């Protein structure tokens, strides 16, 4: 059984373990990046099994006109159990009147299916395009 709660205390080791488990290592290449990113987030929710961090969702933005889902990850041992869906739904419930919620994600079938099931659409479907400028660690 797992619980979801606000993530208020940054445990760098637990975060690094979780990010490493899903292969998101760019965050780990710059010292203090995770701590600073989490400190400046609009809202962060975490999923725990007992006391182990097994999932996290992090949002940035102003929470009124825009909500940007920056990170949503669940440890591979705990995927496909509804944890990601619950994290996403609880984050969206915290900002019910925001004008737009956006995210960038992998172009993989299972990821597309997940976000479309949650009501997200590809930007091309709403007459938009997107642009990105990446730090060198992503290239």
């Amino acid at each position: 059984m797992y619980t979801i709660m606000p993530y208020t205390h940054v445990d760098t080791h637990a975060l690094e373990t979780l990010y490493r488990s899903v292969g998101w290592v760019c965050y780990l290449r710059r010292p203090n990046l995770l701590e600073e990113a989490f400190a400046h987030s609009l809202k962060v929710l975490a999923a725990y099994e007992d006391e182990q961090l097994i999932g996290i969702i992090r949002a940035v933005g102003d929470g009124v006109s825009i909500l940007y889902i920056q990170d949503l990850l669940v440890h591979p041992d705990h995927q496909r159990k509804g944890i990601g869906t619950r994290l996403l739904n609880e984050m969206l419930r915290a900002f019910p009147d925001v004008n737009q919620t956006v995210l960038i994600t992998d172009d993989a079938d299972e990821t597309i299916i997940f976000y479309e099931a949650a009501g997200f659409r590809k930007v091309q479907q709403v007459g938009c395009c997107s642009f990105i400028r990446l730090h060198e660690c992503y290239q």
Side-chain angles (χ1 to χ4, degrees):
M1 190 63 180
Y2 65 91
T3 57
I4 295 188
M5 61 185 64
Y7 190 74
T8 57
H9 172 72
V10 175
D11 178 341
T12 305
H13 176 71
L15 284 174
E16 288 176 358
T17 300
L18 182 59
Y19 277 76
R20 191 170 276 109
S21 78
V22 295
W24 292 12
V25 296
C26 189
Y27 280 98
L28 309 178
R29 293 182 187 145
R30 295 171 59 199
N32 302 324
L33 186 136
L34 275 179
E35 286 183 28
E36 289 184 41
F38 275 75
H40 295 286
S41 296
L42 179 64
K43 186 172 187 72
V44 182
L45 298 173
Y48 290 93
E49 183 177 68
D50 299 319
E51 294 183 19
Q52 179 189 4
L53 180 66
I54 60 171
I56 201 124
I57 186 168
R58 184 168 73 89
V60 297
D62 58 31
V64 179
S65 68
I66 191 160
L67 181 69
Y68 189 96
I69 305 299
Q70 176 59 35
D71 297 333
L72 172 56
L73 54 153
V74 176
H75 191 284
D77 293 345
H78 300 277
Q79 292 177 3
R80 310 232 183 265
K81 297 179 182 178
I83 297 167
T85 299
R86 188 163 162 215
L87 283 165
L88 180 60
N89 288 340
E90 290 199 24
M91 183 65 77
L92 296 175
R93 270 195 295 276
F95 301 95
D97 297 321
V98 72
N99 284 348
Q100 57 181 304
T101 303
V102 297
L103 57 90
I104 294 175
T105 190
D106 298 330
D107 190 14
D109 290 341
E110 62 273 6
T111 307
I112 293 167
I113 291 167
F114 174 82
Y115 285 110
E116 286 180 342
F120 286 81
R121 295 185 285 166
K122 291 184 176 182
V123 293
Q124 301 92 328
Q125 294 174 325
V126 294
C128 296
C129 68
S130 59
F131 297 89
I132 190 168
R133 183 175 175 197
L134 296 173
H135 186 271
E136 63 189 40
C137 75
Y138 285 102
Q139 299 175 10

